Every structure is written in C-alpha cells, then in structure tokens.
Amino acid sequence: MSTTTRKVVIAGVMGAISIFLGVTHLGFIPWLAGAALTIMHVPVIIGAVLEGPLVGLVIGLIFGAFSLLQAAIAPTGPADVWFTNPLVSIVPRLFIGPVAWLSYKALRAINEALSLVIAGIAGTLTNTVLVLGVLGLYHFLPWPLIGTIAITNGLPEAVIAAIITLAVVAAWKRIETGRKSSAV
Amino acid sequence: MSKVLEFELIGHVTIGQYLPTGSILHRLDPRAKLLMGLLLIGAVVVSHSLVGLTALLLAVLVGLVLACVPVPFALAGLRPMLPFLMLLALLQVFTIPQHAATATVLWRWSILTMTDRGLLAGILLIGRFSVMVLGLSLFSFSTTTTEFTHGLEHLLRPWQRFGLPAHELALIVNIAIHFLPILAEETERLMKAQASRGADFGRGQRNFIKRARKLLPLLVPLFLVSLQRAEHLIEAMEARCYVGGKGRTHLIHLQMQLSDYVALATALGLAAFAIQLSITHADQVLWHWIFMNR
C-alpha cells in the first residue's frame, strides 16, 4: 500500500474535520467570560499521531488558514480581529502536529495509551503557548493576562484533546486501554 | 420545528457558493484570481489607510458588477454580522491607546473618551472586514472549487523543484473541500442516533463539563467514521492505480491570456497604492487637517 496516497487522504480528511468543527461551531465549548474552548486542533494531533509530522504540519496549515478566513468572514468574538494576522493564526499552528508526533514517538515504547494522552496535551499546549506568545509579543495583551488565559483555557483544552485523541486513536488502532469492552 | 433545525448542519457548509454567470471574471485564469485574492488580503491586512481601503472597496464593488453578481445579493452576506461588527468597532473606538500624545480628543463622557485615532481604528475595522468578506465572496462566486484546486496546483508547481509536493497539496485541499458535505451528513446522522438514545444537544447549554461530555459521544464516532471513509477513498484510489503527482499529465492546461495579465497588473497596482498610502500616512494628514480646521 502506497504511503503517499494514505498520507494525502488522511491529511485531507482531518483538515476537513477541523474546518467542519469550526464552521458548525461544534468545535467550540462555551467557557468562562465568553472565551470559548476550542477543539479544532484535535484533528491536527490525531493526523500527526497516525501519519507523521508532515501530515500534522499540513493539517495545521489548513486549520490555520481556515481560522484566518473564519476570523475575517464570520468573527465569533472580539479576539478574532487578531486572528486576521497570519502570524497569529497560521504560523503557531504549524508546530502542533510535529510536537504531538514527537511526544507520541518518544513515549510510545513505554506505554502507547499514555503516549497518546501526552501527545494530546503537548499538541494543545503548543497551540496555546505559541498563539498567546505571539499575541504577547505584539502587545495585544499584557503578559499577566496571557498567563491567566493559558491556565484557564489551555489546561481544559489540553484535557479534552487528550481524551479525544486517546479515545479515537485507541479505537482506531485497537489498542488495549484497560477497559474490557471497546474503547469507545 | 426547532427540533428539526437542531440537526441541520449542511446549511452551515456553504463556503464555495458559485454563481455561473459566465462573466469576464469567470473566464479569468484561476491562477490570476488566486494571486489577486492574495494581493487583496495582503493589502487589506497591511494597509492602515482609509483612502486606500476605500479604493480597495470600490475595486471589489466594480469586480462584483463585472462578474454580473447582483450587488445587493453580495451585500446580503454582510448583513448577519453587522451588529457584531458595530460592537467590535465600538470596542476599538474606546480601547485604542488613548494616551498617544498625538491623538486629538473628539468627545468625552465620564470614562469614555473618543479620540480621532480611536474613531479611525473603528472605521478601518469595519472597512477591512467589508473588503475581506466581499472580496472572498467575489472569488467564490466566480471560481468553482475544481478551478480553484487546479489554479493552486499550477501556482505551486514552480516550487516542486525544491521538493514541494504541489500536486499532493492541491489534492489534500480538494479532498478537504469535498469531505465537508459528507461530514455534515454523517454528523447529522450521528446526532439523530444519539438523540434517539436520549442525548440532548441543546445549544444553550452553559455547563462546560456537561457540554464536553455531550460532545464526546458525537466527536469520537465522527472521527472514526471519517477515518473509515478515508480508508475507502485510499482503497478506491489505489484500485485505480493512483501513484501521486510524479509523471502525471493534465487534462486541463492553464494558459494565461492578455486579460489575465491586465487584471493581475490592476490588482498589483491597487494593492501597492493602498500600502503606499498607509506607509506615507496620507490620511492621518488628511484626517488631522479636517479636524484642525473645524
């Protein structure tokens, strides 16, 4: 089975899920003070874990390009003004996939389920830290506020991403997660 | 009725709305249109000039007329977000750094201060959004998704020499676009299946943990179903001997015509004009002049 066909198709389909979660607002969970939690980056993590860093990078690019378009066309909050800047919306997202893949690869030999959880957390935190970091460098937000957002938004997002990544990849690859029945 | 609408997702997925009017813009090379779109986005993001933005807005409106798209129809796309835009603009008006030494105070009421800078920022915000939205709709009205992916592939091809997989990237975008309606359909099916088992996907749900728990039985199967669909697609492609972009010939060959070059040159000129006005602070000068001479 050719690896390129697989990579191309998985990247396309995961990119589509990311866009779909954004378009339908299924990917946003209302949270404190109107700052919604997002899970649009989860397809990036799953794609990277399944097919490697390059696929993760491409899905991240699709996610980023789409969040730029969405911020411009159908804004959901005042913060969207910042996301019309590609340095905020696209560049940080390129790193989600490679980081998630690296953490998965590094820990896989020890415990596959654990490595999936860590990949979900690492990928999410990459997104949080880099996006907020760029916002901080642009002086859009004061640094103490950024720290607060990183904790109030980044941590719950990381937990949700870890749960979904584990559930999906474990079910897909039929990895034992300790449950008796199916992983889903 | 509202119960039925709760499961309507396909309505959200209307990115590529194509209007086959066969106008002069429809017949332009998709590469030229893509480049013009990039130039427009670049100019809109970079330019801080009101005059420049007005010029870009006029150009997009002329484009809509040239594309034989009814302008009120295109403007209708702006209407749903107008209240929101207004709110954003107001936020900008009152939160742009007031302490800038050069800013002139126009209006003050208790803690609210409106400076010329803030007002300009608010107007620019609305202008920028309008130009972006109208420009992107103009692109989608006049370009089919197939033309778009062909154009993308042709544009990326020169970089193939440096190892960029142009064909594969274009194919990924193509697959992503064509999977959207499939995903919408699958999600509707999943939502109905879960609802028939007693799940409630009420949108008004504020409790975070509850919302997250409700999403899981929807998202996990959605990912798995999509992966299955992907698996089928891979098999179908391989059964038809798909081997990637190497040595592939094309049914459609894009040829740039004189009209494409003219259109591209016009867009380049406009973008340069808007950015140039922004660099020289042309309208800050104008703005100050208007308010100083009142």
Side-chain angles (χ1 to χ4, degrees), chain B residues 113-156:
Chain B
T113 313
M114 185 163 83
T115 61
D116 56 346
R117 290 252 173 133
L119 188 61
L120 184 67
I123 295 173
L124 276 180
L125 181 103
I126 293 187
R128 216 174 269 156
F129 271 109
S130 315
V131 174
M132 278 257 207
V133 172
L134 290 177
L136 288 170
S137 353
L138 175 60
F139 182 81
S140 83
F141 287 148
S142 63
T143 320
T144 61
T145 48
T146 321
E147 281 174 344
F148 166 66
T149 39
H150 271 297
L152 188 66
E153 184 175 346
H154 277 76
L155 268 185
L156 293 177

Side-chain angles (χ1 to χ4, degrees), chain B residues 59-284:
Chain B
V60 172
L61 289 177
V62 169
L64 284 169
V65 174
L66 280 180
C68 305
V69 175
V71 176
F73 176 74
L75 289 178
L78 273 174
R79 206 173 300 144
M81 56 190 131
L82 263 185
F84 193 75
L85 259 181
M86 285 305 190
L87 185 75
L88 276 182
L90 279 180
L91 269 177
Q92 286 268 309
V93 167
F94 292 110
T95 55
I96 281 291
Q98 320 283 337
H99 44 77
T102 50
T104 323
V105 175
L106 299 176
W107 181 76
R108 193 192 294 272
W109 182 73
S110 78
I111 52 160
L112 295 176
T113 313
M114 185 163 83
T115 61
D116 56 346
R117 290 252 173 133
L119 188 61
L120 184 67
I123 295 173
L124 276 180
L125 181 103
I126 293 187
R128 216 174 269 156
F129 271 109
S130 315
V131 174
M132 278 257 207
V133 172
L134 290 177
L136 288 170
S137 353
L138 175 60
F139 182 81
S140 83
F141 287 148
S142 63
T143 320
T144 61
T145 48
T146 321
E147 281 174 344
F148 166 66
T149 39
H150 271 297
L152 188 66
E153 184 175 346
H154 277 76
L155 268 185
L156 293 177
R157 215 177 270 169
W159 278 278
Q160 241 168 356
R161 230 174 297 158
F162 306 106
L164 187 91
H167 167 77
E168 279 78 5
L169 279 176
L171 186 62
I172 289 172
V173 172
N174 206 350
I175 291 175
I177 292 172
H178 285 103
F179 249 80
L180 282 177
I182 298 177
L183 285 176
E185 214 173 287
E186 290 287 356
T187 313
E188 278 187 32
R189 226 163 46 90
L190 284 168
M191 281 176 117
K192 285 175 186 161
Q194 302 287 16
S196 74
R197 291 166 176 81
D200 174 22
F201 295 106
R203 300 263 158 143
Q205 195 66 258
R206 295 298 296 179
N207 186 327
F208 155 68
I209 310 239
K210 272 194 187 155
R211 276 268 321 212
R213 283 185 65 143
K214 295 246 163 68
L215 273 178
L216 276 186
L218 185 68
L219 285 178
V220 176
L222 178 65
F223 272 104
L224 292 175
V225 167
S226 316
L227 284 171
Q228 250 155 30
R229 288 264 188 169
E231 228 33 68
H232 293 166
L233 181 57
I234 295 166
E235 215 165 286
M237 283 165 78
E238 281 176 349
R240 287 158 183 79
C241 303
Y242 174 80
V243 285
K246 215 171 189 186
R248 200 177 170 85
T249 56
H250 286 265
L251 179 65
I252 296 168
H253 280 273
L254 296 178
Q255 242 349 297
M256 289 279 270
Q257 306 287 331
L258 180 66
S259 55
D260 298 316
Y261 288 114
V262 171
L264 204 51
T266 316
L268 194 63
L270 262 169
F273 175 65
I275 294 171
Q276 170 67 24
L277 284 182
S278 172
I279 292 171
T280 52
H281 301 288
D283 40 275
Q284 262 91 329

Side-chain angles (χ1 to χ4, degrees), chain A residues 1-17 19-21 23-26 28-31 34 37 39 42-43 46 50 54 58 61-62 66 68-69 71-81 84-86 156 160 163-164 167-169 171-172 184, chain B residues 9 12-15 41 45 81 84-85 88 91-92 125 128-129 132-133 136 165 168-169 171-173 175-177 179-180 183-185 187 191 203 205-209 211-212 215-216 218-224 226-231 233-235 237-238 242-244:
Chain A
M1 196 177 270
S2 133
T3 51
T4 23
T5 313
R6 170 166 293 274
K7 287 193 158 99
V8 165
V9 172
I10 299 281
V13 172
M14 287 297 142
I17 295 187
I19 296 175
F20 179 73
L21 290 178
V23 177
T24 57
H25 289 257
L26 278 175
F28 298 104
I29 302 167
W31 184 235
L37 299 180
I39 45 170
V42 176
I46 293 180
L50 289 177
L54 198 63
V58 172
L61 180 66
I62 295 178
F66 176 72
L68 187 147
L69 280 183
I73 297 176
T76 52
D80 274 339
V81 184
T84 50
N85 183 339
I160 302 177
I163 294 173
I164 299 176
V168 170
V169 181
W172 186 243
V184 186
Chain B
L9 289 176
H12 290 277
V13 188
T14 50
I15 297 186
I41 292 181
V45 170
M81 56 190 131
F84 193 75
L85 259 181
L88 276 182
L91 269 177
Q92 286 268 309
L125 181 103
R128 216 174 269 156
F129 271 109
M132 278 257 207
V133 172
L136 288 170
E168 279 78 5
L169 279 176
L171 186 62
I172 289 172
V173 172
I175 291 175
I177 292 172
F179 249 80
L180 282 177
L183 285 176
E185 214 173 287
T187 313
M191 281 176 117
R203 300 263 158 143
Q205 195 66 258
R206 295 298 296 179
N207 186 327
F208 155 68
I209 310 239
R211 276 268 321 212
L215 273 178
L216 276 186
L218 185 68
L219 285 178
V220 176
L222 178 65
F223 272 104
L224 292 175
S226 316
L227 284 171
Q228 250 155 30
R229 288 264 188 169
E231 228 33 68
L233 181 57
I234 295 166
E235 215 165 286
M237 283 165 78
E238 281 176 349
Y242 174 80
V243 285

